[in-house]
Amino acid sequence: HPNWAAFSELTCKAGFRSGWSLPIKTTHGGTLGAIAVYRNTPGLPTAEEVRAIEEVMDLAGVAISKMRSERALREREEIFSGVVEQAADSIAIFELDGGRFVEFNRAAHEGLGYSREEFASLSVSDIRVEYPESHIAGIVENLEERGSLSFAAQHRHQDGSLRDAHVSLRRL
């Protein structure tokens, strides 16, 4: 094939007498790469060889697509994390059961006087001003029904002082 003319001398020196390649395609028809097969005897691939290479191509296409998707996801996560970390507002993700903080930004822990490690060991009940359990249960029930809530609250600073806060909750 004319596309391989430039490589003819090199492949002959390596002992290859024939070769062929097939494209690795995405599920949408785009080309991800190619699989090249060389052998030391002249000739075309058999139908069995073509079927085997097509199976490998399908697997390679899935693997390359997965790798690209995972890379794109990591890049998006890095962007999101950077935006959240730089936000001036406190942002925290916590479990509804037990209120343990799962993720939070710098403003969340520094605003209440805690190091990142200290804040990571806390739960919502450690920073909120005492509410009757019925009040907390009502907030959770309301959140379950509506999907999001906003309300005024007070949070306890590490030094024991109280800080006014506007709380915006959204169920994830």
Side-chain angles (χ1 to χ4, degrees), residues 43 45 89 108 159:
D89 291 334
D159 67 12

Side-chain angles (χ1 to χ4, degrees), residues 39-104:
R39 60 182 178 187
N40 58 3
T41 58
L44 297 173
T46 66
E48 185 177 313
E49 289 171 326
V50 170
R51 274 193 304 278
I53 292 300
E54 285 173 344
E55 285 180 26
V56 170
M57 287 175 9
D58 290 343
L59 290 173
V62 168
I64 293 169
S65 294
K66 182 176 188 249
M67 181 184 69
R68 286 182 175 182
S69 294
E70 288 172 350
R71 183 181 330 129
L73 180 59
R74 277 191 309 277
E75 289 169 0
R76 299 286 298 170
E77 286 174 346
E78 288 173 14
I79 290 168
F80 175 74
S81 292
V83 168
V84 169
E85 191 60 29
Q86 292 179 27
D89 291 334
S90 296
I91 300 172
I93 299 172
F94 62 90
E95 297 172 341
L96 279 181
D97 273 348
R100 187 180 73 78
F101 291 110
V102 177
E103 282 293 332
F104 50 88

